[in-house]
Amino acid sequence: YNDSKDYISGSMVFWSDGDAVRINNGTYTIAVDNGDSHRATINAEGVTALGGEYYAAYPADISNVVSAGHITFSLPQEEVYTENDGKQVIHSVMAAKSDNRTFKFQNLCALLHFKVNAIGDGIGDKLLAIEVETDKPMWGTITAEYGDSQWQVTSVSGTDATKRTLRFATPLVLSDSEKDIYLIVPPVSGADTFTLRMIVDD
């Protein structure tokens, strides 16, 4: 779809050459074809030794294929904002089961979308961090089980892990125009409280 970038665009997350997935707990790299075919090919040489039923997880560095149809992800408390070609890089948590040598990945987390700018007196124009806090777990180990042709996600472990932070290693300079920023969070529901903090340097 369009360019081979690993940023969000509408409902799409783009992969880049060299991204990695886990298949039956082996790590394999991705090659992106951004020509007419618009596809990602996984270099899974040797994976046939693992059997004929394959389960995949992305990103590889925070995922673990525990057993057939059972995947865990370690969502950290804090992530650092990075850009690629002016767009935020989003490492969306996804899982898939093979179907005729094809993986159809399903997003397992929610994505908070912020539109921020610097308008008005007394508002800092350098964004240092965005924090989201609820009375539900916001980070920790996420477990996904495959059944009925889709992935089901269980609650995050660690009931006191209620705050997740997107931090800017270099302060993000804001302007009057809106800037799109995203934060991945677990698929929580039924939260009684929701607090958003914008930490700025004025």
Side-chain angles (χ1 to χ4, degrees), residues 55 69-71 95-97 106 108 144-146 149-153:
Y55 294 89
H70 185 148
I71 290 175
K97 180 182 181 297
Q106 175 185 332
L108 301 183
E145 301 281 353
Y146 188 82
S149 299
Q150 66 177 347
W151 292 92
Q152 303 293 331
V153 182

Side-chain angles (χ1 to χ4, degrees), residues 97-109:
K97 180 182 181 297
S98 61
D99 179 16
N100 191 26
R101 298 180 65 191
T102 299
F103 286 121
K104 295 181 180 180
F105 283 86
Q106 175 185 332
N107 282 296
L108 301 183
C109 286

Side-chain angles (χ1 to χ4, degrees), residues 1-7 14-15 32 34 38 85:
Y1 299 89
N2 301 323
D3 300 319
S4 57
K5 305 290 186 184
D6 48 358
Y7 58 76
F14 296 87
W15 282 345
V32 177
N34 62 343
H38 305 303
D85 196 23

Side-chain angles (χ1 to χ4, degrees), residues 21-131:
V21 298
R22 282 188 179 272
I23 302 175
N24 291 13
N25 230 20
T27 302
Y28 302 93
T29 57
I30 299 170
V32 177
D33 178 358
N34 62 343
D36 293 337
S37 57
H38 305 303
R39 67 181 180 181
T41 302
I42 299 171
N43 179 14
E45 183 179 352
V47 76
T48 52
L50 299 175
E53 190 171 75
Y54 307 117
Y55 294 89
Y58 175 87
D61 59 339
I62 64 169
S63 62
N64 182 32
V65 183
V66 179
S67 60
H70 185 148
I71 290 175
T72 61
F73 296 85
S74 298
L75 195 66
Q77 181 180 13
E78 178 180 296
E79 65 178 274
V80 177
Y81 178 93
T82 57
E83 285 189 358
N84 184 345
D85 196 23
K87 301 286 187 177
Q88 182 182 355
V89 175
I90 307 294
H91 295 293
S92 186
V93 175
M94 295 184 283
K97 180 182 181 297
S98 61
D99 179 16
N100 191 26
R101 298 180 65 191
T102 299
F103 286 121
K104 295 181 180 180
F105 283 86
Q106 175 185 332
N107 282 296
L108 301 183
C109 286
L111 190 64
L112 295 180
H113 180 194
F114 304 99
K115 287 183 175 288
V116 298
N117 57 22
I119 298 177
D121 295 336
I123 302 299
D125 63 354
K126 293 180 181 178
L127 188 58
L128 303 180
I130 295 177
E131 294 180 350

Side-chain angles (χ1 to χ4, degrees), residues 11 16 20 27 36 39 59-60 100 108 117 125 128 132 136 139 157 160 189 198-199:
S11 61
S16 291
T27 302
D36 293 337
R39 67 181 180 181
N100 191 26
L108 301 183
N117 57 22
D125 63 354
L128 303 180
V132 172
K136 300 288 186 178
W139 61 277
S157 62
D160 59 342
S189 61
M198 308 287 286
I199 302 173

